[in-house]
């Protein structure tokens, strides 16, 4: 090609968009193609961006956000106009609440048809604005790279979240002289954000003089990659710690100082709490009595300064990224040699240890009950014994998730994904797909285990075809109790079905009893297992773990009336403010 021809060559909007994403470091694009975004997916693949074709935009948006959390780099969720974007709003909202990076691109009606009632016309930029940090349509083809870089940066800097870019059909297909396009180089990663050293000293003073100190490790600490600084702080001070569900693994669940098994007691009695990348929202009972000590002093560490003081006035404000601020705390302790080391023979530790032992004894007794149909603890005990310690665990459902938070242990950070801050059901298979792709590309010997209730599975069950299509050896374990939270027996279900109008007689929480979900994966070439006893469960887990080329579904029959063990507080409760 001559110099003149090179100057005069044209490039279309889809290619500009794909090249801009590639330059920013985007590796993955999830979505469902159709008018007018087919060309975007094709252009992305041509640029080396991996495209994962999903069955539903909700699942696609969940998957893209999950891989963003795992890699700390946003993936793209590509959707068609109108209903396609509306479906993806669920994943955008979930990403915003969980503080995960996500980029959503939506096709839209051609500009000359706007306000005319065009095909799937919808006010997409305005609709997405409520669910994102940044929502815009590029002003021209040559400005697409500018908007891509801005969206990428907005999504990752500060508190991560979703961003939306809207491209009309004529912009995607339109062309412009290649020489007029100015690609924007990627910005460096967010710089460290440190807290005021005087505030750090005040925080350490509070911990040194505390009688009942506690460290709470949140999902934000996991996303920040703060496991190194947090480990140094915990090991050097001996402070007991409590992880939130997705903070599990920042410090190993089996660590001697982990007090997860005494969660209620630890929260109720702690007099000083160091809050690392966790929010005092419903998952931590708003930091309020009776779940918390009414005189507790909170040391709050968060990247978003607006979060400091939500629901509880902190005794020490430490705005900044968790890694940097935790290092500051560690350094301050090191400047005080011999001044502090938490005493594991103290009355506080003895209280916690006694509660840990009592709760573990209760769980062990329930785990040994192998009566049929199985209870949650007996089934979970077998699952925990069989799965690799370094596997990534996806967990969703009602009792299935709540009990799984205590029964399934994590030894590594960012190895647990569940319903999270938004309590979103239906995320499981999208998360599992994303985790499996992440493992394939970054940790090829690591397994993904997705444990979910039968109701949760139903939200996005057809994504098992996507998982099978890409030959991802995900182990999907369904805790099937015939309902939402709890169900009814087959005999009770048939009676309800036949005793009148089933729309009036079948309980709202009930699902078809003993449904053979494992048959679905067999239709796509995977392995299915129907399980009623612990021996069958052991055998199916062993077989599933041997299969490294295709997904498996293990369908476990759970007693419809089985519940959590007796405990003081559930996750979903209201605090007495």
């Amino acid at each position: 090609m001559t110099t003149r021809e090179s100057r005069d060559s044209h490039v279309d909007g889809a290619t500009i968009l794909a090249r801009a994403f590639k330059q920013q470091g985007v590796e993955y694009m999830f979505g469902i193609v159709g008018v007018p975004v087919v060309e975007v997916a094709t252009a992305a693949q041509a640029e080396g961006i991996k495209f994962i074709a999903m069955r539903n935009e909700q699942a696609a948006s969940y998957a893209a956000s999950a891989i963003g959390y795992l890699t700390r780099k946003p993936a793209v969720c590509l959707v068609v106009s109108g209903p396609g974007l509306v479906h993806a709003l669920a994943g955008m909202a979930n990403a915003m609440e969980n503080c995960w990076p996500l980029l959503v691109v939506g096709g839209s009606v051609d500009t000359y048809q706007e306000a005319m009632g065009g095909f799937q016309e919808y006010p997409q930029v305005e609709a997405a604005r409520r669910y994102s940090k940044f929502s815009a349509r590029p002003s021209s083809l040559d400005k697409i790279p500018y908007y891509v870089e801005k969206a990428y940066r907005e999504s990752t800097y500060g508190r991560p979240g979703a961003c939306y870019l809207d491209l009309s059909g004529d912009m995607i297909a339109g062309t412009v002289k290649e020489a007029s396009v100015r690609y924007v180089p990627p910005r460096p990663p967010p710089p460290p954000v440190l807290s005021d050293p005087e505030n750090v000293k005040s925080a350490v003073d509070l911990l040194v003089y505390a009688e009942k100190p506690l460290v709470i490790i949140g999902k934000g600490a996991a996303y920040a990659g703060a496991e190194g600084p947090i480990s140094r702080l915990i090991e050097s001070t001996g402070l007991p710690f409590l992880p939130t569900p997705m903070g599990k693994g920042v410090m190993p669940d089996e660590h001697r100082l982990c007090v997860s098994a005494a969660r209620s007691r630890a929260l109720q009695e702690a007099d000083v709490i160091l809050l690392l990348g966790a929010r005092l929202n419903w998952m931590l009972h708003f930091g309020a009595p009776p779940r918390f000590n009414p005189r507790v002093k909170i040391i709050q560490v968060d990247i978003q300064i607006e979060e400091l003081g939500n629901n509880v006035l902190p005794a020490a404000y430490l705005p900044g990224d968790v890694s940097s601020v935790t290092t500051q705390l560690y350094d301050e302790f090191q400047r005080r040699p011999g001044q502090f080391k938490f005493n594991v023979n103290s009355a506080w530790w003895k209280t916690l240890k006694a509660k840990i032992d009592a709760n573990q004894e209760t769980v062990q007794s329930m785990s040994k009950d192998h009566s049929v149909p199985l209870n949650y603890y007996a089934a979970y005990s077998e699952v925990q014994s069989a799965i690799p310690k370094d596997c990534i665990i996806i967990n969703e459902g009602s009792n299935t998730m709540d009990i799984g938070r205590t029964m399934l242990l994590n030894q590594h950070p960012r190895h647990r994904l569940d319903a999270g801050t938004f309590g979103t059901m239906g995320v499981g298979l999208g998360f599992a797909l994303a985790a499996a792709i992440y493992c394939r590309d970054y940790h090829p010997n690591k397994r993904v285990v997705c444990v979910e209730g039968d109701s949760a599975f139903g939200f996005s069950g057809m994504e098992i075809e996507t998982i099978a299509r890409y030959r991802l050896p995900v182990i999907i374990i369904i805790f099937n109790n015939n309902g939402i939270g709890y169900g009814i027996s087959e005999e009770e279900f048939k009676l309800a079905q036949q005793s009148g109008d089933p729309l009036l007689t079948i309980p709202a929480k009930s699902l078809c009893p003993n449904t053979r979900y494992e048959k679905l994966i067999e239709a796509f070439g995977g392995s299915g297992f129907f399980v009623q006893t612990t021996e069958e469960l052991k055998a199916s887990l062993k077989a599933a773990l041997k299969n490294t080329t295709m997904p498996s579904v293990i369908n476990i029959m759970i007693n419809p009336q089985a519940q959590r063990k007796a405990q003081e507080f559930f996750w979903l409760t209201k605090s007495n403010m």
Side-chain angles (χ1 to χ4, degrees), residues 47-367:
E47 294 299 322
I49 296 173
K50 297 172 183 177
F51 185 81
I52 300 93
M54 306 285 287
R55 302 300 297 262
N56 182 280
E57 290 94 353
Q58 280 192 17
S61 61
Y62 296 145
S65 66
I67 211 164
Y69 169 70
L70 293 169
T71 64
R72 295 189 69 189
K73 296 193 300 183
V76 174
C77 176
L78 178 69
V79 298
V80 299
S81 49
L85 173 65
V86 171
H87 292 167
L89 293 177
M92 294 176 68
N94 195 61
M96 290 296 291
E97 293 299 318
N98 277 328
C99 310
W100 291 354
L102 170 66
L103 301 173
V104 176
V105 172
S108 58
V109 66
D110 287 352
T111 52
Y112 76 89
Q113 293 181 352
E114 288 180 349
M116 296 175 63
F119 175 65
Q120 295 184 333
E121 183 178 359
Y122 195 70
Q124 294 175 191
V125 175
E126 293 82 0
R129 189 165 286 126
R130 292 178 61 88
Y131 303 91
S132 60
K133 294 178 69 178
F134 174 69
S135 177
R137 174 189 285 186
S139 54
S140 60
L141 284 172
D142 58 297
K143 290 292 291 291
I144 288 174
Y146 168 84
Y147 283 84
V148 166
E149 187 281 326
K150 182 174 176 63
Y152 191 100
R153 177 163 38 88
E154 289 267 0
S155 181
T156 54
Y157 275 36
R159 173 171 281 177
C163 290
Y164 175 71
L165 292 178
D166 189 85
L167 274 82
S168 63
D170 51 332
M171 181 171 281
I172 291 171
T175 62
V176 68
K177 283 187 177 181
E178 195 154 12
S180 70
V181 181
R182 294 288 180 266
Y183 291 94
V184 183
R187 298 293 190 264
V193 181
L194 300 171
S195 280
D196 185 332
E198 292 303 314
N199 289 348
V200 172
K201 290 179 182 178
S202 299
V204 171
D205 285 339
L206 289 171
L207 289 166
V208 165
Y209 294 108
E211 293 183 3
K212 298 179 178 181
L214 178 67
V215 178
I216 296 179
I217 302 171
K219 175 171 73 260
Y223 177 80
E227 53 268 19
I230 290 175
S231 178
R232 287 193 294 273
L233 179 67
I234 296 294
E235 295 290 359
S236 63
T237 61
L239 289 165
F241 68 89
L242 172 69
T244 63
M246 275 191 273
K248 285 161 59 71
V250 172
M251 292 291 291
D253 281 343
E254 294 179 308
H255 194 281
R256 67 188 188 283
L257 295 171
C258 181
V259 297
S260 290
R263 179 183 187 273
S264 295
R265 184 64 53 84
L267 294 179
Q268 273 185 314
E269 296 191 18
D271 59 356
V272 175
I273 291 177
L274 172 61
L275 197 64
L276 297 175
R279 288 167 284 177
L280 292 174
N281 54 22
W282 68 274
M283 295 189 77
L284 286 174
H285 314 293
F286 314 107
R291 306 324 190 226
F292 280 69
N293 182 340
R295 292 174 295 280
V296 66
K297 296 177 180 178
I298 303 288
I299 303 164
Q300 195 170 5
V301 180
D302 201 286
I303 189 67
Q304 188 176 36
I305 196 166
E306 294 92 333
E307 184 65 34
L308 303 179
N310 268 358
N311 299 322
V312 173
L313 186 66
Y317 293 82
L318 297 180
D321 67 274
V322 178
S323 288
S324 300
V325 176
T326 304
T327 298
Q328 287 183 282
L329 291 166
Y330 171 79
D331 290 343
E332 180 61 28
F333 273 111
Q334 293 304 108
R335 283 189 279 269
R336 307 181 186 195
Q339 186 177 345
F340 179 80
K341 175 78 173 182
F342 182 68
N343 186 358
V344 293
N345 294 316
S346 67
W348 175 225
W349 182 251
K350 289 179 180 177
T351 297
L352 294 173
K353 189 67 169 64
K355 190 63 175 177
I356 289 170
D357 292 343
N359 282 344
Q360 287 179 339
E361 185 177 341
T362 302
V363 169
Q364 286 171 4
S365 66
M366 297 183 72
S367 298

Side-chain angles (χ1 to χ4, degrees), residues 361-384:
E361 185 177 341
T362 302
V363 169
Q364 286 171 4
S365 66
M366 297 183 72
S367 298
K368 293 175 182 176
D369 177 7
H370 293 176
S371 57
V372 176
L374 295 171
N375 70 67
Y376 287 96
Y377 295 90
Y380 263 126
S381 180
E382 297 297 336
V383 172
Q384 173 58 32

Side-chain angles (χ1 to χ4, degrees), residues 485-553:
Y486 58 87
I488 58 177
S489 69
E490 189 166 11
E491 293 74 20
E492 292 169 320
F493 182 84
K494 287 180 179 178
L495 181 62
Q497 239 183 354
Q498 297 166 2
S499 60
D501 184 346
L503 302 183
L504 300 174
T505 57
I506 295 178
K509 285 193 168 189
S510 298
L511 301 173
C512 282
N514 305 328
T515 300
R516 300 295 296 270
Y517 296 108
E518 80 284 355
K519 297 292 186 183
L520 294 173
I521 197 67
E522 293 174 0
F524 306 117
S527 301
F529 305 90
F530 182 73
V531 169
Q532 293 179 296
T533 68
T534 54
E535 290 305 313
E536 291 172 347
L537 180 53
K538 286 178 183 177
S540 64
L541 286 163
K542 185 177 180 180
L545 286 165
K546 284 183 178 179
N547 188 345
T548 59
T549 59
M550 286 294 283
S552 303
V553 171

